Amino acid sequence: MRELVEGATRLLAEAGVGSPRVDAIELAAFALGLDRLELVLAPPAPEGFALEYAGLVERRRLREPLQHITGRTGFRYLTMAVEAGVFVPRPETEVVAQVAVDEAARLVAAGERPLVVDLCTGAGGIAVSVATEVPAARVWAVDASPAAVALTRRNGAGADLDVREGDVRDETLLAELDGTVDVLVSNPPYIPPDAVPVDPEVRDHDPDLALYGGGADGLDIPRAVIRAAARLLKPGGLLVMEHAEVQDAQARDAAAVAGAFTAIESRPDLTGRPRMLVARRIGPLSVTDSQP
């Protein structure tokens, strides 16, 4: 077993896979039907394993995402179902989820039952994390992709989670919640049209709908998220939105232009890069809040 994994590691490294040994072990565990594999205690390779494993490694060598091959990925405390056609949750988004979880937990501790909305939910990583880690919260999740909506419902089975199909650019989206939301969190598409991802796993497999944010700067969808937050959040409600590290100033400017937020700031990811916008909703709804 160890020899097979070492051979797979070399093949994946030569193909440019970023974490060849981790992926080789994960594929071996998947072929064995295990959640994880400890090579120190590795079992003998069962009959037929080498052939099946070689097929899995070849798919990964050709840069098919590991998560698509195994049909699963880890996100915070979750093991989530993943499938082709839906954006694969990324580790950096776990930090964005943490801010939403912390705010929801703070409100619960204060005796409230917070309402949390996750826009552009994808596979549902943020929404399901909040719903499972803060079970007293009410969580709504929205995505424009029917496949993403179906997958989020699957990942959120058993949680207090309302999943809807909808376009964040629709100014009537979730109109029944206007002015009542405590936390609005989002990892929207934000890649500019001329910044095609280098990694084949992203470029060739994640759906364009979940990658490209629209407009020359990629911020059309993020700006729509900010406008939706201005409409949906109650006074004092929190907006948390992921963006690219080069978009921090533009994201803050967009929140300022909305005229509905205070305490506007950029926060870092685990590597110290500015990767999320955080802001508080101020005052009641007003005419100026509807400005683009």
Side-chain angles (χ1 to χ4, degrees), residues 6 56 157:
E6 292 303 328
L56 297 172

Side-chain angles (χ1 to χ4, degrees), residues 16 23 53-54 113 116 187 211 248-249 256 276 284:
D23 288 19
Y53 185 52
R113 189 167 182 237
V116 180
N187 175 21
L211 294 178
D248 57 315
M276 78 179 92

Side-chain angles (χ1 to χ4, degrees), residues 191-200 202-204 208 211-212:
I191 297 176
D194 59 349
V196 178
V198 174
D199 291 341
V202 178
R203 182 188 65 235
D204 300 335
D208 287 355
L211 294 178
Y212 299 101

Side-chain angles (χ1 to χ4, degrees), residues 145-177:
S145 162
V149 168
L151 187 58
T152 296
R153 286 180 177 145
R154 178 180 166 193
N155 281 321
D160 185 0
L161 185 62
D162 190 320
V163 188
R164 305 286 183 93
E165 182 180 337
D167 190 328
V168 70
R169 294 168 294 187
D170 179 359
E171 296 182 1
T172 66
L173 179 68
L174 303 183
E176 66 271 32
L177 301 183

